[in-house]
Amino acid sequence: MKTLLALSICLLSMQLYAQDEKQEYNFEEIEKDLSRLCAAIISSDTDIKKTHASFIFSQKLKSVLILDKAYDYSFENIETLKQIVPKDKSFKLFIWAIPYTDGTYKYFGLLQKYNKDKKKYDIISLLDKSSSIEQAYKKVLTPDNWWGAYYYNCFTTKVKKKTYYVMFGWDGNNKLSNKKVIDIMYITKNGQIRFGANLFKVGRGYKKRVFFEFSSEVVMSLKYHARTKRIVFDHLAPLEPNLKGQRQFYGPDLSLDAFQYKKGKWKFLSDIEQNNSAKPKVKIDSPGHGLTPNKK
């Protein structure tokens, strides 16, 4: 009964938020409500409660983001809600996750983008289907078929006047290993959101996105260096040679690899100098060096 009452109150508040977009709203109070729901997603003691809190949070955030002044509000006090805003400010992307009790995660996203034709904000839901996407390194994905991750960085690159948004994401894969991903997002001519593009040259082929998998006990660095136009990351290797292929035992080995941007493509470079200024010592023609196998 208490749960149903709480749900009714939340749904009522959502309706009130959406009734009149011209009236003034107390975004600080709305943010507090959202923050409490976000905390429940993390701290609830069962997966059912976490999922329920995430659903209510999503619906409530959607009802707020359609408001005109919502785009200018920071929502910075919601600790576990990540916001991605590119330099061109063409959209805002809100990301959160459910940490399940078995050590896995499911990711959710809401993308807020102004529609000039309709003169209102479109709110696009990102649905994490990563568990069912095979060979994700070569798939162009849509918002309702998204390889979910907790994005933590975004920068833009242009190829033949087309803007691509390069996303760095983290995925708490399971209790034994974590993943990081470099993905590409772009907006089509008719305003559709797409993920994945053949911009990463690895060996003799191309990938639409790049995955790294490593032990959950270690931290992997993945950064963009704007001055040299390089994506620089830790080289991942097994703890012992006989553990090759078992990604839960992989970690940084103190060397660095990179993707170098040149002529609209990101070319994989192996074993670059630590200061990120010199040319790479070795170029390789295989998809090894810590990049995950082409399974997912």
Side-chain angles (χ1 to χ4, degrees):
M1 181 63 71
K2 289 183 178 179
T3 302
L4 290 175
L5 179 60
L7 177 58
S8 299
I9 292 172
C10 286
L11 292 175
L12 177 60
S13 63
M14 287 189 293
Q15 293 171 357
L16 291 174
Y17 294 153
Q19 278 179 354
D20 185 358
E21 295 185 18
K22 294 181 179 180
Q23 74 178 69
E24 292 296 324
Y25 291 91
N26 189 332
F27 282 102
E28 290 183 2
E29 289 301 317
I30 294 173
E31 185 180 33
K32 288 178 182 178
D33 290 341
L34 290 169
S35 186
R36 284 190 286 268
L37 284 167
C38 219
I41 297 171
I42 303 300
S43 62
S44 293
D45 57 358
T46 68
D47 290 344
I48 292 176
K49 291 180 181 178
K50 290 172 184 280
T51 301
H52 179 71
S54 178
F55 173 77
I56 299 301
F57 175 83
S58 177
Q59 296 303 309
K60 199 165 193 176
L61 183 58
K62 278 184 186 179
S63 72
V64 175
L65 294 181
I66 63 174
L67 304 177
D68 286 334
K69 294 186 178 180
Y71 196 89
D72 298 322
Y73 191 79
S74 67
F75 295 101
E76 62 185 2
N77 294 315
I78 306 176
E79 292 186 2
T80 56
L81 179 67
K82 183 65 179 179
Q83 295 182 60
I84 297 294
V85 184
K87 283 188 176 181
D88 62 11
K89 297 183 179 179
S90 57
F91 63 86
K92 271 189 176 184
L93 179 55
F94 299 82
I95 301 285
W96 71 97
I98 298 177
Y100 290 122
T101 53
D102 65 356
T104 61
Y105 289 75
K106 188 169 185 178
Y107 300 90
F108 301 83
L110 289 177
L111 189 144
Q112 181 187 32
K113 181 171 67 72
Y114 189 71
N115 188 319
K116 293 182 180 179
D117 295 331
K118 297 179 180 179
K119 296 183 179 179
K120 69 174 187 177
Y121 286 95
D122 289 334
I123 310 301
I124 302 165
S125 298
L126 306 187
L127 305 179
D128 182 3
K129 299 294 181 64
S130 56
S131 61
S132 61
I133 300 173
E134 297 182 355
Q135 297 184 315
Y137 72 98
K138 63 179 183 181
K139 298 283 183 67
V140 173
L141 303 175
T142 59
D144 59 357
N145 188 40
W146 171 55
W147 204 94
Y150 193 80
Y151 294 148
Y152 62 90
N153 194 15
C154 169
F155 62 93
T156 59
T157 184
K158 287 196 174 184
V159 181
K160 296 180 180 180
K161 297 183 180 181
K162 186 173 183 177
T163 300
Y164 292 93
Y165 303 93
V166 184
M167 304 284 197
F168 292 172
W170 177 90
D171 172 28
N173 187 43
N174 54 47
K175 289 182 179 180
L176 299 178
S177 70
N178 292 332
K179 290 182 179 180
K180 283 196 173 182
V181 60
I182 310 173
D183 208 343
I184 301 291
M185 194 195 97
Y186 60 95
I187 303 172
T188 65
K189 290 182 179 180
N190 61 352
Q192 300 298 307
I193 302 298
R194 294 292 181 266
F195 296 91
N198 277 337
L199 299 184
F200 300 101
K201 190 175 190 304
V202 181
R204 295 181 177 87
Y206 287 88
K207 293 173 181 275
K208 289 183 169 61
R209 61 185 55 78
V210 180
F211 296 99
F212 308 87
E213 186 175 357
F214 49 95
S215 169
S216 59
E217 300 297 320
V218 302
V219 175
M220 176 200 168
S221 176
L222 172 63
K223 298 180 179 180
Y224 176 56
H225 294 253
R227 182 177 61 83
T228 55
K229 293 186 177 181
R230 278 186 180 178
I231 298 172
V232 179
F233 47 91
D234 286 324
H235 171 78
L236 300 174
L239 183 64
E240 300 290 345
N242 64 321
L243 298 174
K244 185 176 180 180
Q246 300 182 56
R247 297 286 162 172
Q248 69 269 31
F249 298 111
Y250 274 55
D253 67 355
L254 303 182
S255 64
L256 295 173
D257 297 333
F259 280 103
Q260 177 70 61
Y261 184 76
K262 187 176 182 180
K263 296 182 179 180
K265 302 293 183 181
W266 293 93
K267 187 175 183 180
F268 179 63
L269 305 176
S270 171
D271 199 15
I272 66 169
E273 295 290 346
Q274 292 280 357
N275 61 13
N276 194 37
S277 60
K279 292 183 179 180
K281 293 186 286 186
V282 181
K283 295 182 181 180
I284 67 169
D285 288 321
S286 69
H289 287 259
L291 279 69
T292 60
N294 300 331
K295 293 181 181 179
K296 180 178 173 183

